[in-house]
Amino acid sequence: MTRLLSIVLTGLSTGSIYALVALGFVLLYKAAGVVNFAHGSLLLLGAYVTARTWETVGFPLAVALGVLSGAGAALVMQRLLAEPMRDAAPVALAIMTIGVDIVLGTELSRRMGPDITVLGHPWGGAAVRLGDVAVPANRAIALGVAALIIAAFLLAFRFTGWGVAMRAAAEDPEAAALVGVRVRRVVTTSWMLAGGLAVVAGIFLAGSPTPGLSPAVGLVALRALPAAILGGLDSTTGALAGGLIVGVAESLAAGYQDELAVFGRGSGEVVPYIVMIAVLLVRPAGLFGTRAAGRV
């Protein structure tokens, strides 16, 4: 029982990080209809800036600089690349973001080299104990931070002018613009928030039990994308649920890999995609996604 509890808690804490990245996918899709495959590189960029500056300016300010760099890079993408392509097909925008991911990711990998870079988390490798179960403090803090951020976005969508404007822009951009909603500003803000959220997730991913930052950390976005899709690409609640489901499923597969040896070692890496496919077969719009209306 202790083993199962430990695996589930690990999965929930990892899933909360996936949920932050998935929330970025959802924000951008709701506002602009874009699936940004460069999310992983934005995550890596912000974490890299944090790693290079924390010894000079301290960890809190380094985190702020990292988040700002991710948001700034997303803004540059939106203004220089996505905005001129706003009338292009969604698949063309998606391919553009893949190109950005390859270019930016390659450059960051070159700069980092093969070494593991420490981000300077003040809690280090400390652990939080729940009875006989120990969870890295980094992952426990990530769970709390993710819960607060997602709760803040849920409240913002419902009770703030920005949230109302974003829902209106997602529903019908042209009608929203006619009633005074600044759609371009909503889209720009969504790009920046998505980039910043990716960096927050990256900073936690590079902490304990991970030894530090490496180019592989950027690949987390590929695991968070199934979380966003199975939860529903237009649902904030779905981002949270999808992240937690994927995190727990992945942790269970890794924790019971001996019992699942018949499927091969490392099967946990494909579990997010298996879960996504299983959900989409039953609910094509995702667990919380809006089903498209069709005329019979």
Side-chain angles (χ1 to χ4, degrees):
M1 187 64 184
T2 300
R3 179 188 180 191
L4 177 60
L5 180 60
S6 176
I7 290 172
V8 170
L9 288 175
T10 299
L12 289 174
S13 60
T14 303
S16 66
I17 300 175
Y18 291 163
L20 286 175
V21 184
L23 180 58
F25 281 115
V26 169
L27 281 176
L28 204 49
Y29 186 79
K30 283 173 70 72
V34 178
V35 178
N36 183 12
F37 289 97
H39 234 50
S41 292
L42 295 177
L43 179 157
L44 196 59
L45 171 64
Y48 178 73
V49 170
T50 301
R52 290 304 184 198
T53 58
W54 72 270
E55 288 185 311
T56 303
V57 302
F59 183 73
L61 185 54
V63 169
L65 291 173
V67 171
L68 287 173
S69 68
L75 175 62
V76 171
M77 279 186 63
Q78 190 265 332
R79 289 293 174 88
L80 297 185
L81 300 174
E83 181 71 16
M85 295 178 64
R86 62 183 179 276
D87 296 326
V91 67
L93 285 167
I95 292 172
M96 178 273 290
T97 65
I98 293 174
V100 172
D101 182 63
I102 293 172
V103 172
L104 184 56
T106 300
E107 174 60 20
L108 289 169
S109 297
R110 183 187 68 81
R111 288 180 176 274
M112 283 188 281
D115 298 330
I116 300 295
T117 308
V118 177
L119 264 72
H121 300 81
W123 47 84
V128 176
R129 299 200 66 86
L130 298 173
D132 296 330
V133 178
V135 178
N138 180 65
R139 293 297 171 86
I141 295 171
L143 181 59
V145 169
L148 288 174
I149 290 175
I150 292 174
F153 273 102
L154 288 172
L155 293 173
F157 283 138
R158 185 173 294 272
F159 298 113
T160 69
W162 173 78
V164 173
M166 185 168 190
R167 283 186 284 141
E171 185 69 26
D172 191 333
E174 293 183 2
L178 288 173
V179 298
V181 174
R182 297 182 177 180
V183 176
R184 188 167 182 259
R185 178 180 294 181
V186 171
V187 171
T188 298
T189 303
S190 300
W191 274 89
M192 294 178 68
L193 286 172
L197 286 171
V199 176
V200 173
I203 289 169
F204 283 116
L205 279 170
S208 178
T210 306
L213 180 66
S214 69
V217 171
L219 297 177
V220 69
L222 296 179
R223 297 186 184 182
L225 182 58
I229 293 174
L230 73 87
L233 263 175
D234 59 353
S235 171
T236 309
T237 305
L240 174 60
L244 296 180
I245 290 170
V246 166
V248 171
E250 187 178 277
S251 184
L252 287 170
Y256 290 97
Q257 60 181 341
D258 291 336
E259 290 82 351
L260 300 173
V262 65
F263 298 107
R265 292 287 178 178
S267 58
E269 295 181 4
V270 301
V271 162
Y273 303 95
I274 294 174
V275 174
M276 178 188 72
I277 292 170
V279 169
L280 293 181
L281 286 173
V282 179
R283 293 185 62 88
L287 294 174
F288 296 91
T290 303
R291 294 186 178 184
R295 181 175 294 179
V296 179

